[in-house]
Amino acid sequence: MNRIVIIFLISICSLIIISSCSMKGARNQNLVNDNINNTSDISRDTKYSVSYPNVERYFNDNSSIVSVIRVQDSDNTLSESDAMQLFKDRGFTGYPVTTEYSINGEFNEATEIISSSSSKHPIYQSFYVNSSNELWTILVIDGVIMASPITFNIQHSDHVPVVVSESKEIVSYDSSTNSFYRTIPNESIMDVRIYSQIDSSLLDSLTVEVLINA
Amino acid sequence: MRKKRQLLKAFLPVLIIILLLNVFPITSFADDNADQSGIIVSMGDSYSSGEGVEPFYGEDEDISERVKNADWLAHRSEQAWSGQLTLPGVGVLNNYRYGSKDVTDPKWYFVASSGAKVDDLFGKQNKPYSRSGYYGKKYLPAQIDVFDILEDTPEYITLSIGGNDADFGGIIKEAICTTYFTPCRLSDKLNDVWNEFYMVGGIREKLINAYETLDRKTDSRSTIIVVGYPQLLNSEGGLLGIFSAEEAAMINDSVTIFNQAIEMIVDECRTTKNINIVFVSVEEAFRGHGAYSSNPYIREIVPLPQSQDLFDHPSDKQFVSAYSLHPNEKGIEAYRQCVQNKIDELEAVRGTRSAENTNVPNDATEAFIDFLRDGYEGADDYYNDLPIHFDKQNNSNGDIWMTYAIDDFDSDGQKELIIYKSFFEREYTTDVLHGLFFYKYKNNSVELVHYAYFLEEMVLNPGFLIFYDNGQVYMENELKSLTVFVFNEKIRQKFKLNEGDRIIYSVNNYDDMSIRRSVGGAYAYDTSEVISNESYQEETDFLFSGTMLDTTMHPVNKAELW
């Protein structure tokens, strides 16, 4: 019991002392901290930039390449007007359709496209939330529509991502060469589900259970 | 006689302390504290607000009120690291939050807001919401407006900002959606961010302007602590469906470079613009603990809105929870420790200068020791012949440290164990109870900084030195855990302890406030997860292997000792 008393009393007294006698030194009027390490990886005059992946190698490693075509040589690239109509016809009207690339391959912040524009872009993107509250992204690349269940893929990130397509061929866009790649992805990189037509009705039917069991 | 002896034992320290207070009156500290407000302002973005770690202030309110509550809209967490900082003489800040009902003398002004960009420090932040049928948008006040309500100059301003300007969220979005469709998109996005960083009026200039503006809002007594960002992702494996390993590395590298750029700006502001500003990196503390690692300090991507998200349905603007890729509880603790270390370091520097300025007389400690000895010996003649040890040492910061050790209260004349060697190289011996006090002498005053008791079991199971956490008194039946100083490297290695780990000595049995002799187990916690549970029975001398710094009564900062 004596220990309780000792500890209690000394603790209380310590608190009193500490609370009443707490002190700090006078202010450092002009603090100079020597502990900050300068880094040499980036300097004021050296602008950092990120290198680009070797896309050809990437697709060689992960797919069978069907064809590669420069954007300017493709006849399938849609104008903003055509893309808007495509998304509308498929029932994807709830979210803006955006693009980030010019026809020359320049990257910009995502810009909402307008139905009156005849400007062409290599890739368009929109989103769709189906009746199960699952978020999908809808992509149109070189005029080909594809969809990817974002929520599902994140939740099942230990498996290869699911992609819904109207063909076994997937179209990709390489901005570093401003080219389209048509490929058949390896099963180890992508789980391609093929349906005759991608539209809102289809995506509504593709619940988590369906995607898992398909 | 025995009863009398016990009673005297109990009141002896009290008497000593009371006498101490008479000799070193409290009023002598008044002037020294006059320019010290004890105020911290916590500004910035989600990495300061505590995004993702519930509860958030205001979340208990009905949704109709919640959507009007700036704290909730900003996702200011009750667990935010900034609120868990301690200042000497103040204690834990979240007990002093401005705006809390019971706080009459606020010390912590918490205005950080999830999603904030640099511009939101100086202008209103738009916070749209759509939850449970309530939707709209509310403009949060400019964070800098907080300076209009401060009653005194803040000592510190903590700030994490720039991440949203660099569009971390957008970068993640690029990475998780479309890798196969657009393999270069992440590179394009990152390069776009870096162009934005360097351009005229870009992120870099915004940050400089922000630091300058904050400096103008304060005076030289305030230190701006700019806090960096952690690498977000496990860089070793990537995540099959979301990130490739290359993408994860690319994102992490950009965070590192971004931190370096911020640090360089901070450095430049301090050296060329004379701004009292420092940078705190958290990268090392998070290394190996990115999202999707085996022991993550950062939340993984949370695909669906959570209970306190501002949106209860996914959208193109926010298709994952705002909680995603923000520090979890472990990450919060890592942040806290990094910033606390910096504050402690700054306080130590300030203390040194203070001590230098006060011209502490050489004989000050001698006078104190004499007084303490007189008080002790004057308490009761019976104890005059019991050993009491005093010692002093100047540490590297110039503080004068004194120890006062009570030895052999219940001496039976046998020195059974060597408990430890102090940094004074003095061996203290005991068989039952041993008290040790650490005092600091500065500004003509004495401060009791740490105190410890070696109970019987501590003697028999050496390896620990227990400090009663913040002087808290544990009553009978409440003795569940205590904060422990681990002193030597051997123990650290044995329990695989790392910087920042919280060590808890769990007491399995207790009886009349004594820890039973049978208890010899130690639990090493990494915040909350038990990483080691071993019996420790070796009899090893304790060693101070480092120099004791100007610490406050916070749980142990091991770096100060090792």
Side-chain angles (χ1 to χ4, degrees):
Chain A
M1 190 61 196
N2 58 335
R3 289 176 191 162
I4 296 178
V5 176
I6 290 173
I7 291 168
F8 179 80
L9 288 172
I10 293 184
S11 299
I12 293 297
C13 289
S14 300
L15 283 175
I16 292 169
I17 281 197
I18 289 161
S19 61
S20 62
C21 300
S22 175
M23 58 187 183
K24 292 175 286 184
R27 281 287 155 209
N28 168 23
Q29 297 298 314
N30 183 18
L31 181 67
V32 177
N33 189 331
D34 294 325
N35 293 324
I36 291 182
N37 299 317
N38 285 325
T39 52
S40 56
D41 294 332
I42 184 171
S43 71
R44 185 180 178 184
D45 300 323
T46 305
K47 293 184 178 180
Y48 180 70
S49 62
V50 176
S51 59
Y52 285 87
N54 185 326
V55 175
E56 185 176 1
R57 183 190 301 165
Y58 173 78
F59 284 120
N60 275 326
D61 290 344
N62 295 296
S63 70
S64 299
I65 299 175
V66 177
S67 66
V68 182
I69 182 172
R70 286 169 49 83
V71 169
Q72 290 88 338
D73 297 334
S74 172
D75 298 326
N76 303 320
T77 306
L78 299 181
S79 66
E80 291 188 22
S81 174
D82 293 338
M84 286 289 281
Q85 191 61 47
L86 174 61
F87 278 95
K88 183 180 177 182
D89 291 345
R90 303 299 182 105
F92 302 126
T93 56
Y95 292 96
V97 180
T98 60
T99 187
E100 292 176 316
Y101 290 99
S102 73
I103 195 70
N104 298 318
E106 294 162 346
F107 180 87
N108 296 293
E109 280 296 300
T111 307
E112 188 173 341
I113 65 171
I114 52 177
S115 57
S116 59
S117 173
S118 59
S119 296
K120 290 186 175 183
H121 304 273
I123 178 170
Y124 299 95
Q125 182 177 19
S126 190
F127 293 87
Y128 181 71
V129 177
N130 72 6
S131 51
S132 304
N133 219 25
E134 300 282 325
L135 184 72
W136 290 72
T137 183
I138 318 298
L139 294 159
V140 172
I141 304 175
D142 198 22
V144 175
I145 189 168
M146 295 159 290
S148 178
I150 294 176
T151 313
F152 177 86
N153 283 338
I154 293 173
Q155 285 179 315
H156 299 81
S157 53
D158 52 341
H159 296 94
V160 294
V162 169
V163 166
V164 172
S165 173
E166 294 177 348
S167 158
K168 65 179 181 181
E169 292 178 7
I170 296 297
V171 184
S172 301
Y173 172 62
D174 169 20
S175 62
S176 65
T177 59
N178 201 28
S179 303
F180 295 119
Y181 277 75
R182 286 178 186 265
T183 62
I184 300 173
N186 296 343
E187 290 181 355
S188 61
I189 192 97
M190 185 177 283
D191 179 2
V192 180
R193 313 282 176 86
I194 301 170
Y195 296 90
S196 58
Q197 176 160 308
I198 296 172
D199 55 24
S200 57
S201 299
L202 172 71
L203 300 192
D204 283 338
S205 71
L206 296 180
T207 62
V208 172
E209 293 73 24
V210 172
L211 289 172
I212 288 175
N213 297 321
Chain B
M1 188 64 176
R2 175 74 178 174
K3 259 191 172 179
K4 180 186 174 189
R5 188 181 170 193
Q6 286 180 346
L7 200 61
L8 285 168
K9 273 172 59 178
F11 284 98
L12 180 60
V14 181
L15 181 62
I16 291 169
I17 288 164
I18 289 171
L19 289 169
L20 263 177
L21 284 173
N22 288 331
V23 167
F24 302 98
I26 294 171
T27 51
S28 69
F29 301 107
D31 290 340
D32 301 322
N33 289 330
D35 59 352
Q36 315 224 344
S37 65
I39 291 174
I40 287 188
V41 174
S42 301
M43 308 176 73
D45 55 25
S46 53
Y47 281 74
S48 285
S49 77
E51 175 64 88
V53 180
E54 298 176 3
F56 303 113
Y57 289 106
E59 75 168 50
D60 292 337
E61 296 177 354
D62 181 80
I63 185 65
S64 61
E65 294 300 315
R66 218 184 309 162
V67 296
K68 302 173 191 169
N69 186 323
D71 286 332
W72 182 75
L73 289 167
H75 270 197
R76 292 174 190 139
S77 171
E78 295 180 20
Q79 308 298 320
W81 57 264
S82 47
Q84 298 179 51
L85 297 172
T86 61
L87 271 185
V90 175
V92 181
L93 285 171
N94 58 16
N95 294 326
Y96 301 93
R97 187 177 74 98
Y98 174 80
S100 293
K101 285 180 185 174
D102 302 329
V103 174
T104 56
D105 182 23
K107 297 292 186 187
W108 180 42
Y109 293 77
F110 188 24
V111 293
S113 177
S114 184
K117 297 182 175 181
V118 176
D119 289 346
D120 297 320
L121 299 177
F122 311 108
K124 292 181 177 179
Q125 182 185 0
N126 181 13
K127 294 295 285 189
Y129 59 88
S130 176
R131 179 139 213 128
S132 304
Y134 290 86
Y135 59 89
K137 61 184 176 183
K138 183 176 171 63
Y139 288 93
L140 303 184
Q143 293 188 26
I144 203 166
D145 289 353
V146 71
F147 289 94
D148 297 335
I149 58 175
L150 292 178
E151 294 183 357
D152 202 347
T153 301
E155 287 193 48
Y156 297 101
I157 300 153
T158 64
L159 173 67
S160 65
I161 200 70
N164 291 310
D165 297 84
D167 199 14
F168 281 178
I171 291 169
I172 299 299
K173 184 176 167 183
E174 300 295 342
I176 65 177
C177 285
T178 57
T179 302
Y180 192 89
F181 298 111
T182 50
C184 295
R185 197 178 186 188
L186 180 59
S187 299
D188 284 325
K189 177 66 182 175
L190 288 170
N191 283 327
D192 193 52
V193 166
W194 283 110
N195 286 333
E196 167 71 14
F197 185 86
Y198 292 110
M199 67 186 289
V200 175
I203 299 169
R204 185 179 186 282
E205 288 188 6
K206 285 183 177 181
L207 288 172
I208 294 171
N209 290 336
Y211 302 151
E212 288 177 334
T213 305
L214 286 176
D215 182 54
R216 286 195 296 272
K217 278 284 182 181
T218 62
D219 60 31
S220 57
R221 290 177 296 171
S222 303
T223 301
I224 303 168
I225 299 177
V226 176
V227 188
Y229 298 93
Q231 290 197 343
L232 299 174
L233 302 166
N234 173 28
S235 57
E236 293 180 358
L239 190 63
L240 198 55
I242 302 179
F243 302 104
S244 67
E246 291 77 15
E247 285 173 325
M250 201 181 291
I251 292 170
N252 284 344
D253 287 348
S254 273
V255 172
T256 295
I257 298 296
F258 190 63
N259 283 329
Q260 290 173 353
I262 293 176
E263 184 175 5
M264 189 165 293
I265 294 168
V266 166
D267 198 24
E268 187 177 313
C269 284
R270 189 179 63 257
T271 55
T272 66
K273 299 176 187 293
N274 210 26
I275 297 176
N276 194 351
I277 188 169
V278 296
F279 179 79
V280 172
S281 172
V282 298
E283 279 196 57
E284 196 55 39
F286 279 78
R287 194 170 304 286
H289 298 293
Y292 302 102
S293 66
S294 58
N295 184 17
Y297 287 7
I298 296 178
R299 276 176 174 269
E300 58 187 23
I301 293 171
V302 184
L304 296 174
Q306 301 297 291
S307 61
Q308 298 301 324
D309 266 318
L310 271 52
F311 294 85
D312 56 11
H313 53 273
S315 72
D316 60 329
K317 298 284 190 270
Q318 189 170 358
F319 57 75
V320 296
S321 167
Y323 295 18
S324 302
L325 297 177
H326 283 95
N328 58 20
E329 287 81 359
K330 293 180 181 178
I332 291 283
E333 172 57 17
Y335 255 101
R336 183 202 68 78
Q337 196 143 49
C338 289
V339 179
Q340 186 68 60
N341 287 348
K342 175 58 71 177
I343 288 176
D344 292 346
E345 181 185 308
L346 293 170
E347 289 291 323
V349 172
R350 289 169 172 171
T352 302
R353 297 186 177 194
S354 170
E356 288 169 353
N357 293 336
T358 54
N359 295 320
V360 177
N362 290 334
D363 60 352
T365 54
E366 302 297 341
F368 168 65
I369 290 173
D370 287 344
F371 168 77
L372 192 58
R373 187 189 300 278
D374 289 343
Y376 173 72
E377 293 180 346
D380 181 38
D381 289 341
Y382 181 83
Y383 286 95
N384 283 352
D385 56 347
L386 294 184
I388 178 169
H389 306 286
F390 298 95
D391 220 327
K392 65 170 183 174
Q393 180 168 310
N394 291 5
N395 71 5
S396 57
N397 292 322
D399 299 323
I400 298 172
W401 283 90
M402 290 170 288
T403 53
Y404 153 44
I406 307 169
D407 198 353
D408 278 336
F409 266 144
D410 290 319
S411 173
D412 57 5
Q414 296 179 358
K415 308 296 184 187
E416 295 176 352
L417 275 175
I418 296 173
I419 296 180
Y420 75 110
K421 292 178 183 176
S422 79
F423 56 103
F424 309 126
E425 296 298 327
R426 168 172 288 178
E427 294 180 0
Y428 293 100
T429 62
T430 189
D431 56 354
V432 175
L433 180 65
H434 192 101
L436 182 64
F437 304 80
F438 292 90
Y439 290 92
K440 184 175 64 180
Y441 184 96
K442 197 160 61 179
N443 289 359
N444 297 318
S445 298
V446 174
E447 181 182 7
L448 175 61
V449 178
H450 284 308
Y451 59 98
Y453 293 94
F454 300 89
L455 302 183
E456 198 171 337
E457 292 69 28
M458 303 306 104
V459 178
L460 296 175
N461 299 293
F464 317 103
L465 177 60
I466 289 187
F467 287 92
Y468 291 86
D469 198 0
N470 287 339
Q472 184 175 349
V473 178
Y474 291 85
M475 302 302 291
E476 193 173 356
N477 299 326
E478 291 179 346
L479 187 59
K480 299 288 169 54
S481 65
L482 300 171
T483 301
V484 175
F485 246 128
V486 178
F487 270 1
N488 62 29
E489 179 66 14
K490 185 176 180 181
I491 296 169
R492 188 186 74 77
Q493 290 178 358
K494 181 178 181 69
F495 292 102
K496 301 177 178 137
L497 301 175
N498 294 310
E499 174 71 28
D501 289 345
R502 181 176 172 78
I503 314 304
I504 296 176
Y505 180 79
S506 285
V507 180
N508 299 321
N509 302 297
Y510 47 86
D511 178 23
D512 194 17
M513 197 61 186
S514 296
I515 301 171
R516 284 185 184 276
R517 185 187 298 264
S518 61
V519 175
Y523 296 81
Y525 281 75
D526 183 353
T527 306
S528 60
E529 179 187 0
V530 176
I531 59 174
S532 178
N533 179 2
E534 297 182 47
S535 174
Y536 185 76
Q537 298 289 340
E538 293 179 38
E539 296 176 2
T540 307
D541 288 351
F542 287 94
L543 289 172
F544 277 108
S545 56
T547 302
M548 182 165 274
L549 298 178
D550 182 1
T551 62
T552 54
M553 294 286 286
H554 58 73
V556 175
N557 174 4
K558 293 188 289 298
E560 294 164 354
L561 291 176
W562 295 343

